[in-house]
């Protein structure tokens, strides 16, 4: 389990991360979202052991990221945002170099390299210079390097950044494959990518965690909205249902009405709406809760955070 | 140890995969030949490589910083230090791996100059004692220059600053240990003379292998290389 306890990161003039506490259980795939400068990359760099927190602690299975730094780094596969590689090296030489950095047993190095190259589909590029590869292939080489020592924790910082749509789709399916039973932290600006891949989403803004939960749960946290579609005659009755804040009605061509209902905060008046429809004798053909798209939820959250930060 | 070997092999390979390494080899061989040829094979004079050893360490003063300037600064510029720092490799393994790679490359760079003693052998009957000791002095000086270059490379992400810092440091050292020593009061003058690289190299070129000189070069090189670990550790924990 990864545990962050009240971590702060301060630079000369910037307080980049402000008291973040999180627990990430083993095997969870976590998407980390946030605008530029929100503190998400700084946080994962602290988890990866690239930088220490100014205050607080980061631990992995009880091992402290500062005190037991080497043991922690051995458990983590990390693909930084810019995917830095050595362009003059051949793919296989680079992976061989990484096996030595991780002090992998000599006998298992070749098979580990072959396995990582096959998983990331770069085995046909093994003898090519990294600098001569396309961006998509370079991203795969970075992923293969992160996977090489079969780490239980994989941290990927914007793995699809700068890729074309086809490459994004390829990399996304690769990431889904790689997740398996690993703990994975995925930093991304691509909301559908996170929504499809992750069990949990953490939204950062202004150096703090603004939202944390399963994608489906997060999308329910906005103002509750419901749709009722029924035969005419229910409009006046709807306003008196407890938990209903406002109703907008649209008359449909087939004589039915569609009522867009805004609920009171934290209210779920669906059962009461059903009983009201039943009591008035109208024909009810649809009653559903509208789920707020992740994008709208995210933008609302970030705007609020920016407003608060500006104050 | 595995990480140290990994870093060393990668760095050594990088010298040969990039033009900088080959360019440094070619320039060093060309310039040393240019200076050596007219002064080492003079009819009626003893066949020695003193001219080469005299000019060699000045050439190294430019070539060694050019080799060492990129060792750590380039990792920082390109961002590859991020993957290096998040691997379990220790900063010691990284620094000494890079240093050993640069030293190995320096030895490779000196290989073409073995043509000079071969030419002397062809033309006359040279005394190999001063030649061997002269090479030893040149190699030790090169190692010292590389260690200082590595330290400057660890201190800055600008390769130009790393190059100029190393160059200026040794030019200043040469000036202080010769001119400064003349005017300095006792016992400071003795300390300044002890720092002179020229004087020690003159002994090597004469065929004198003084263990004090060897201890000076080896200990200074190791000490300065160890200092290069400090900026890396500092960046990791600040």
């Amino acid at each position: 389990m990864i545990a962050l306890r009240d971590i702060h990161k301060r630079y000369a003039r910037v307080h980049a991360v402000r008291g973040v506490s999180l627990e990430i259980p083993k095997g969870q795939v976590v998407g980390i979202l946030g605008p530029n400068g929100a503190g998400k990359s700084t946080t994962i760099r602290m988890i990866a052991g690239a930088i220490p927190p100014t205050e607080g602690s980061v631990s992995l299975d009880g091992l402290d990221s500062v005190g037991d730094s080497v043991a922690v780094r051995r458990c983590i596969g990390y693909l930084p945002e810019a995917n830095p590689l050595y362009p003059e090296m051949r793919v296989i030489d680079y992976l061989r170099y990484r096996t030595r950095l991780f002090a992998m047993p000599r006998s298992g190095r070749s098979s580990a390299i072959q396995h990582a190259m096959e998983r990331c589909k770069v085995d046909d590029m093994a003898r090519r210079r990294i600098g001569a590869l396309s961006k998509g292939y370079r991203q795969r080489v970075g992923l293969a390097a992160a996977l090489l020592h079969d780490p239980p924790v994989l941290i990927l910082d914007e793995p699809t950044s700068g890729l074309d749509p086809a490459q994004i789709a390829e990399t996304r399916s690769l990431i889904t494959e790689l997740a398996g039973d690993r703990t994975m932290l995925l930093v991304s600006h691509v909301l559908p990518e996170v929504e499809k891949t992750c069990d949990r989403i953490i939204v950062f803004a202004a150096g703090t965690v603004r939202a944390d939960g399963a994608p489906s749960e997060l999308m329910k946290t906005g103002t509750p909205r419901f749709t009722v579609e029924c035969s005419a005659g229910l409009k006046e009755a709807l306003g008196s249902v407890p938990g209903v804040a406002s109703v907008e009605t649209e008359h449909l061509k087939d004589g039915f009405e569609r009522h867009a209902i805004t609920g009171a905060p934290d209210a779920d008046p669906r059962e009461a709406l059903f009983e009201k429809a039943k009591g008035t004798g109208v024909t009810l053909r649809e009653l559903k809760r509208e789920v707020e798209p992740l994008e709208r939820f995210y933008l609302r959250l970030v705007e609020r955070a920016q407003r608060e930060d500006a104050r | 140890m595995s990480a140290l070997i990994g870093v060393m092999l990668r760095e050594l390979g990088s010298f040969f995969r990039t033009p900088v390494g080959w360019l440094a080899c070619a320039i060093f061989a060309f310039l040393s030949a240019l200076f050596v040829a007219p002064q080492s094979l003079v009819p009626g004079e003893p066949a020695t490589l003193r001219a080469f050893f005299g000019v060699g360490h000045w050439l190294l003063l430019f070539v060694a910083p050019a080799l060492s300037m990129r060792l750590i600064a380039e990792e920082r510029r390109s961002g590859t230090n991020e993957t290096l720092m998040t691997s379990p490799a220790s900063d010691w393994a990284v620094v000494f791996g890079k240093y050993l790679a640069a030293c190995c490359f320096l030895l490779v760079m000196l290989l073409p100059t073995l043509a000079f003693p071969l030419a002397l052998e062809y033309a006359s009957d040279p005394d190999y004692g001063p030649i061997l000791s002269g090479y030893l002095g040149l190699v030790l000086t090169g190692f010292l220059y590389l260690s200082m270059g590595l330290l400057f490379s660890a201190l800055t992400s600008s390769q130009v600053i790393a190059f100029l810092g190393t160059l200026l440091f040794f030019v200043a050292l040469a000036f202080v240990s010769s001119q400064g020593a003349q005017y300095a009061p006792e016992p400071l003058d003795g300390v300044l003379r002890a720092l002179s690289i020229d004087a020690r190299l003159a002994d090597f070129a004469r065929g004198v292998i003084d263990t004090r000189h060897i201890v000076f070069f080896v200990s200074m090189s190791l000490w300065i290389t160890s200092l290069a670990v400090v900026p890396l550790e500092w960046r990791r924990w600040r």
Side-chain angles (χ1 to χ4, degrees), chain A residues 38-116:
Chain A
K40 54 191 192 306
S41 285
T42 307
T43 302
I44 65 153
R45 289 180 75 216
M46 285 190 272
I47 297 171
I51 50 170
T54 313
E55 275 174 50
S57 68
V58 179
S59 67
L60 172 64
D61 289 338
L63 298 168
D64 184 70
S65 72
V66 177
D68 309 297
S69 169
V70 173
V72 169
R73 283 182 269 153
R74 217 178 280 283
C75 297
I76 291 175
Y78 176 46
L79 175 68
E81 184 178 353
N83 186 23
L85 298 166
Y86 300 96
E88 76 279 5
M89 290 183 95
R90 293 183 305 167
V91 172
I92 192 155
D93 293 334
Y94 175 62
L95 296 178
R96 205 171 282 142
Y97 160 65
R98 297 285 301 176
T99 60
R100 290 195 183 103
L101 279 187
F102 279 82
M104 290 171 66
R106 196 184 291 263
S107 57
R109 285 179 193 168
S110 298
S111 59
I113 291 170
Q114 194 56 37
H115 183 63

Side-chain angles (χ1 to χ4, degrees), chain B:
Chain B
M1 189 52 113
S2 165
L4 186 145
I5 293 169
V7 172
M8 189 185 90
L9 292 177
R10 197 211 72 74
E11 205 61 58
L12 193 57
S14 158
F15 277 121
F16 291 104
R17 288 191 203 100
T18 52
V20 177
W22 292 108
L23 210 62
C25 274
I27 289 173
F28 185 80
F30 174 73
L31 289 178
S32 50
L34 207 65
F35 284 107
V36 168
Q39 294 180 47
S40 294
L41 295 168
V42 179
E45 294 284 322
T48 70
L49 283 181
R50 256 188 216 190
F52 166 57
F53 298 128
V55 81
H57 87 278
W58 286 107
L59 289 179
L60 279 182
L61 189 52
F62 288 89
V63 173
L67 294 177
S68 58
M69 65 183 185
R70 51 177 288 284
L71 287 172
I72 294 173
E74 174 62 14
E75 297 263 10
R76 200 171 300 130
R77 189 201 60 77
S78 66
T80 45
N81 66 323
E82 184 102 344
T83 46
L84 200 53
M85 287 178 80
T86 50
S87 78
S90 69
D91 294 333
W92 287 89
V94 171
V95 165
F96 276 87
K98 284 175 177 288
Y99 179 62
L100 288 176
C103 290
C104 289
F105 186 79
L106 185 91
L107 295 177
V108 172
M109 199 178 73
L110 288 174
L111 280 180
T113 69
L114 292 178
F116 304 154
L118 289 176
L120 289 189
E121 174 66 32
Y122 179 75
S124 65
D125 185 20
D127 178 1
Y128 280 103
I131 292 177
L132 289 175
S133 64
Y135 264 108
L136 178 63
L138 202 59
V139 165
L140 290 172
T141 309
F143 287 179
L144 178 62
Y145 290 165
L146 287 174
S147 66
M148 187 54 79
L150 181 68
L151 174 60
F152 273 98
S153 184
L155 287 169
T156 173
S157 53
S158 162
Q159 297 190 30
V160 175
I161 293 174
F163 175 85
L164 290 176
T166 315
L167 184 67
L168 292 177
F169 176 86
F170 282 109
V171 168
L173 183 69
F175 181 78
V176 167
S177 62
S178 56
Q179 302 301 310
Q182 286 180 19
Y183 302 105
E186 283 187 61
L188 185 64
D189 61 335
V191 174
L192 292 179
R193 280 197 190 91
L195 290 172
S196 171
I197 292 171
D198 282 0
R200 292 173 194 278
L201 277 178
D203 280 353
F204 278 112
R206 284 207 318 271
V208 178
I209 298 180
D210 187 334
T211 45
R212 285 175 305 175
H213 296 340
I214 295 176
V215 169
F216 169 81
F217 280 112
V218 172
S219 59
M220 288 296 279
S221 301
L222 290 177
W223 183 66
I224 295 168
T225 306
S226 305
L227 276 183
V229 177
V230 177
L232 265 71
E233 293 269 342
W234 169 250
R235 284 195 176 89
R236 193 189 284 284
W237 303 125
R238 76 179 171 163

Side-chain angles (χ1 to χ4, degrees), chain A residues 218-256:
Chain A
L218 289 181
M219 287 182 274
K220 286 180 192 164
T221 56
T223 307
R225 291 175 202 283
F226 307 88
T227 300
V228 173
E229 224 173 271
C230 58
S231 54
L234 188 65
K235 189 180 174 187
E236 283 70 31
L238 285 177
S240 63
V241 174
V244 171
S246 65
V247 182
E248 282 178 36
T249 301
E250 181 188 351
H251 297 282
L252 303 176
K253 285 178 183 169
D254 58 2
F256 273 62

